[in-house]
């Protein structure tokens, strides 16, 4: 059988000199390629020693660290399924993920061990380990006793590698099941398309619980045998200071906006860099232009999603075309992208419709949701992204909106239905609507409009305060208005477009 284990593909790309630096952290630690290989073997052997059934989920909610990345690689290596969780998630959110995914192993920070382990044991998980960003915790303590030799588990193209939860437009989050085949094919395509070359060094400043930081960035560097300069947290000054030692940077638009606010960002400071990539949210043309003026570099914008990893990209190679601001470029090699009208029929070039995609990168389906999976695919096997866009005569894809009710704030997805559900449960609330409005830093943020029950007294600040104890911080509405009624159409449906229009100037 052909080996499709993603770790095997990454391992095969490690440089000849295993003692060379693979990762350098902002706290001065240096990890060699040999360190990565040995540590992932030890953690993989720890997982093997637990005698887990094949396809076991390893759910992980820990702060960013090189060891957290190693845990990801070790899970792949051992042939289990990695399930990353945003560190901002609170107990109700974690309870749902653990209950839904039924992980065999949960790894959390020691600070959260009390409540996370309680939830995990209740859901039938047998093993809960801790891992902290300072290389402490029971996971590494246990792995220290394991052998540093481990044979990579053989995996087929269709075997699961990861489950990434992505919120649903209605109802609860869905776990997108990504296979080793999905990951390997996408990583290889991006390596060629973005011209990864010898000597490249990546500044890694994104969180590692979503597709962008965990897959696109890490696979890119490892598959090229490239060193990563590893930042525990995005810091615009530090990224700019590191540019003379690096060549590639990946970020969501907010990171570019924040760097542009730094006087140290100059053409000279960025002169060693080869490529700046943006994605996960729309990059404003102002940011694209300003970056070009300040640094002399043209940001390469690409488009993807948890269900599909990367779909389209502006060209790296000028011979293939210019990087056009406001567009997300061309379908990646091997990826099919088409635009369909509401009637499911093809629309003429340049006209707007729903974006549908197909390819070896497209996920296997939603975890334990066969009906939902079926709904999201067309009869001829194309995945409906929920994004609305057009493809122009030259083949460039532009995203103009979303048919899914989704707010993207600083690169994180906020599903209004979820937040509204929490608001509606607050005593005295009759109904609510969450809309996305423009924001200079986060691109877009959520604003809540709430109607009280007759005679009830509710206060916007109290609502926000209550939500803060229940939901991840990025989902908290930045403002909350209490009003008498919501605008509705003749069918009685709330007209969110009118609310958006009404509040679009809130943040200047
Ligand atoms: C933080 N806050 C946010 C927020 N991040 N609010 C809205 N949206 C966000 N994204 C709030 C906090 O709640 C807090 O509010 C205040 O801002 C400061 O918090 P912080 O933790 O200090 O913020 P900071 O560390 O500066 O984080 C901002 C950020 C971060 C932009 C660095 O959000 C980030 O790393 N975003 C990247 C997300 C990402 O990787 N997305 C990829 C998804 S993959 P208060 O009120 O408590 O003070 C994907 C597919 C694809 O989409 O195509 O790639
Ligand atoms: P997620 O479910 O977190 O993976 O988010 C995926 C969604 O992010 C996509 O469906 C798009 O709506 C959005 N997205 C990703 N990249 C871009 C981009 N470059 N421009 C606009 N939207 C993007």
């Amino acid at each position: 059988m052909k080996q499709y284990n993603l770790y095997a593909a990454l391992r095969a790309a490690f440089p000849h000199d295993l003692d060379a630096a693979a990762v350098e952290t902002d706290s001065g630690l240096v990890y060699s390629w040999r360190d990565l290989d040995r540590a992932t073997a030890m953690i993989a052997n720890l997982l093997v020693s637990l005698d887990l059934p094949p396809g076991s989920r390893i759910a992980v909610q820990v702060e960013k660290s090189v060891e957290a990345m190693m845990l990801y690689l070790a899970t792949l290596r051992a042939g289990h399924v990695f399930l990353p969780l945003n560190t901002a998630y609170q107990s109700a959110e974690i309870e749902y993920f653990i209950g839904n995914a039924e992980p065999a192993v949960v790894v959390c920070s020691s600070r959260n061990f009390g409540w996370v382990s309680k939830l995990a044991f209740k859901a039938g998980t047998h093993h809960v380990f801790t891992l902290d960003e300072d290389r402490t915790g029971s996971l590494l303590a246990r792995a220290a006793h394991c052998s540093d030799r481990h044979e990579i588990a053989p995996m087929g193209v269709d075997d699961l590698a990861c489950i990434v939860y992505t919120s649903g437009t209605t109802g609860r989050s869905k776990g997108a099941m990504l296979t080793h085949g999905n990951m390997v094919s996408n990583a290889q395509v991006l390596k060629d398309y973005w011209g990864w070359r010898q000597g490249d060094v990546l500044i890694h400043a994104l969180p590692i619980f979503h597709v962008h930081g965990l897959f696109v960035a890490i696979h890119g560097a490892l598959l090229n045998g490239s060193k990563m300069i590893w930042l525990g947290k995005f810091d615009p000054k530090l990224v700019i200071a590191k540019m003379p030692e690096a060549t590639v940077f990946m970020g969501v638009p907010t990171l570019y906006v924040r760097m542009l606010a730094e006087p140290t960002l100059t053409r000279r400071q960025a002169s060693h860099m080869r490529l700046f990539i943006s994605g996960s949210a729309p990059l404003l043309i102002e940011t694209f232009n300003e970056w070009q003026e300040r640094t002399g570099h043209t940001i390469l914008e690409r488009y993807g999603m948890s269900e599909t990893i990367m779909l389209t990209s502006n060209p790296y190679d000028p011979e293939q075309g210019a990087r056009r601001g406001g567009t997300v470029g061309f379908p990646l090699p091997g990826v099919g992208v088409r635009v369909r009208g509401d009637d499911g029929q093809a629309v003429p070039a340049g006209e707007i419709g729903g974006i549908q995609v197909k390819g070896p990168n497209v996920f296997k389906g939603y975890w334990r949701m066969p009906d939902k999976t079926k709904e999201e695919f067309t009869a001829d096997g194309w995945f409906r992204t929920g994004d609305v866009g057009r493809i122009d005569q030259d083949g460039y894809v532009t995203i103009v909106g979303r048919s899914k009710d989704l707010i993207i704030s600083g690169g994180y997805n906020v599903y209004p239905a979820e937040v509204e559900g929490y608001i509606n449960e607050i005593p005295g609330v009759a109904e609510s609507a969450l809309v996305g409005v423009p924001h200079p830093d986060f691109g877009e943020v959520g604003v809540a409009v709430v109607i009280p029950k007759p005679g009830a007294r509710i206060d916007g600040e109290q609502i926000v305060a209550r939500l803060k104890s229940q939901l991840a911080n990025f989902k908290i509405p930045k403002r909350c208005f209490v009003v008498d009624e919501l605008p509705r159409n003749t069918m009685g449906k709330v007209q969110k477009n009118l609310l958006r229009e009404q509040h679009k100037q809130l943040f200047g």
Side-chain angles (χ1 to χ4, degrees):
M1 184 181 90
K2 188 165 182 261
Q3 168 64 293
Y4 275 96
N5 191 314
L6 169 62
Y7 183 76
L10 301 175
R11 176 65 185 83
F14 281 17
H16 196 64
D17 178 9
L18 287 180
D19 294 316
V23 188
E24 270 177 31
T25 72
D26 48 0
S27 51
L29 296 172
V30 179
Y31 297 74
S32 67
W33 295 93
R34 193 184 307 282
D35 292 334
L36 291 192
D37 200 41
R38 287 187 58 221
T40 56
M42 291 162 86
I43 303 172
N45 279 325
L46 169 61
L47 296 177
V48 170
S49 74
L50 303 178
D51 209 14
L52 309 173
S56 289
R57 278 77 59 209
I58 316 294
V60 178
Q61 189 197 31
V62 298
E63 295 298 333
K64 182 176 178 182
S65 68
V66 177
E67 288 68 26
M69 173 183 74
M70 289 168 165
L71 171 57
Y72 164 56
L73 298 174
T75 304
L76 297 173
R77 226 185 138 137
H80 292 303
V81 180
F82 193 72
L83 196 170
L85 294 166
N86 194 319
T87 47
Y89 292 147
Q90 308 265 0
S91 63
E93 293 157 308
I94 294 295
E95 183 171 18
Y96 170 75
F97 295 124
I98 292 182
N100 188 254
E102 297 182 351
V105 176
V106 170
V107 184
C108 63
S109 57
S110 52
R111 175 165 48 88
N112 295 339
F113 180 78
W115 64 267
V116 173
S117 59
K118 219 161 130 189
L119 294 176
F121 293 138
K122 199 174 108 194
T125 300
H126 290 297
H127 309 279
V128 181
F129 295 104
T130 57
L131 174 63
D132 292 323
E133 62 268 44
D134 60 356
R135 289 171 291 147
T136 58
S138 59
L139 182 90
L140 299 178
R142 284 281 299 277
H145 300 284
C146 297
S147 161
D148 61 359
R149 296 287 161 93
H150 171 266
E151 200 158 320
I152 302 171
M155 301 307 283
V157 67
D158 254 347
D159 287 330
L160 277 198
C162 288
I163 296 179
V164 184
Y165 274 88
T166 149
S167 300
T169 342
T170 53
R172 303 309 296 258
S173 284
K174 302 164 288 184
M177 299 188 287
L178 292 160
T179 65
H180 285 266
N182 293 148
M183 309 273 246
V184 171
S185 71
N186 208 240
Q188 280 168 345
V189 164
L190 292 178
K191 176 174 166 9
D192 293 340
Y193 203 73
W194 290 343
W196 281 92
R197 57 172 82 143
Q198 212 177 355
D200 269 337
V201 174
L202 172 81
I203 300 178
H204 193 301
L206 285 163
I208 56 166
F209 34 68
H210 290 301
V211 164
H212 200 161
L214 184 63
F215 302 156
V216 189
I218 290 176
H219 299 168
L222 295 184
L223 197 62
N224 194 51
S226 276
K227 185 173 90 177
M228 284 187 263
I229 296 178
W230 187 267
L231 274 54
K233 198 172 176 326
F234 171 69
D235 170 353
K237 289 187 177 61
L238 189 53
V239 173
I240 296 167
K242 290 288 179 189
M243 283 181 188
E245 299 167 42
T247 61
V248 182
F249 177 79
M250 296 185 194
V252 300
T254 300
L255 308 198
Y256 288 97
V257 170
R258 291 189 181 181
M259 284 194 281
L260 280 167
E262 296 294 331
T264 50
L265 180 74
T266 59
R267 196 171 270 255
R268 185 158 172 199
Q269 190 67 13
S271 62
H272 191 257
M273 293 293 288
R274 176 174 77 78
L275 183 57
F276 289 96
I277 299 172
S278 175
S280 310
L283 181 74
L284 291 182
I285 192 75
E286 292 83 356
T287 312
F288 176 87
N289 289 336
E290 208 186 324
W291 192 268
Q292 212 167 30
E293 276 161 31
R294 280 279 286 285
T295 68
H297 287 277
T298 308
I299 296 176
L300 177 154
E301 186 171 2
R302 65 24 168 212
Y303 157 56
M305 56 194 302
S306 302
E307 289 91 334
T308 63
I309 331 177
M310 293 302 101
L311 291 163
T312 74
S313 170
N314 269 280
Y316 171 69
D317 179 356
E319 294 208 343
Q320 293 184 15
R323 293 179 207 161
R324 288 197 193 156
T327 82
V328 292
F330 303 126
L332 286 166
V335 178
V337 178
R338 70 184 193 186
V339 176
R340 287 288 185 266
D342 289 342
D343 55 0
Q345 298 303 308
V347 301
E351 292 206 4
I352 290 168
I355 298 178
Q356 301 183 353
V357 300
K358 198 173 196 172
N361 54 312
V362 176
F363 74 135
K364 203 173 170 171
Y366 294 112
W367 170 255
R368 292 184 180 160
M369 288 188 185
D371 294 341
K372 193 81 208 155
T373 303
K374 220 168 144 197
E375 256 174 51
E376 303 295 346
F377 282 86
T378 63
D380 56 346
W382 291 68
F383 173 62
R384 299 187 173 97
T385 62
D387 292 309
V388 174
R390 59 168 181 265
I391 305 179
D392 70 17
Q393 297 283 5
D394 302 332
Y396 285 85
V397 179
T398 301
I399 298 170
V400 300
R402 305 170 202 126
S403 60
K404 50 194 175 191
D405 191 12
L406 161 70
I407 298 168
I408 304 185
S409 187
Y412 288 137
N413 291 4
V414 180
Y415 278 84
E418 182 189 15
V419 181
E420 289 160 5
Y422 277 87
I423 299 178
N424 296 347
E425 276 179 18
I426 297 176
V429 171
E431 204 186 348
S432 63
L434 188 82
V435 292
V437 302
H439 188 274
D441 184 31
F442 293 122
E444 195 180 18
V445 294
V447 168
V449 185
V450 180
I451 312 187
K453 282 191 176 144
R457 277 214 196 148
I458 50 171
D459 172 287
E461 278 176 30
Q462 279 168 358
I463 293 177
V464 168
R466 184 165 165 142
L467 292 176
K468 279 189 177 174
S469 65
Q470 297 175 306
L471 283 169
N473 59 12
F474 60 89
K475 297 180 190 170
I476 307 300
K478 295 283 184 238
R479 294 287 294 277
C480 179
F481 298 101
V482 178
V483 300
D484 291 335
E485 57 183 355
L486 293 170
R488 292 177 191 280
N489 65 15
T490 47
M491 310 288 286
K493 195 168 179 285
V494 176
Q495 289 174 300
K496 287 197 166 179
N497 52 334
L498 296 184
L499 292 175
R500 252 178 244 123
E501 189 57 32
Q502 188 185 345
H503 295 296
K504 71 177 183 198
Q505 298 292 356
L506 256 186
F507 301 97

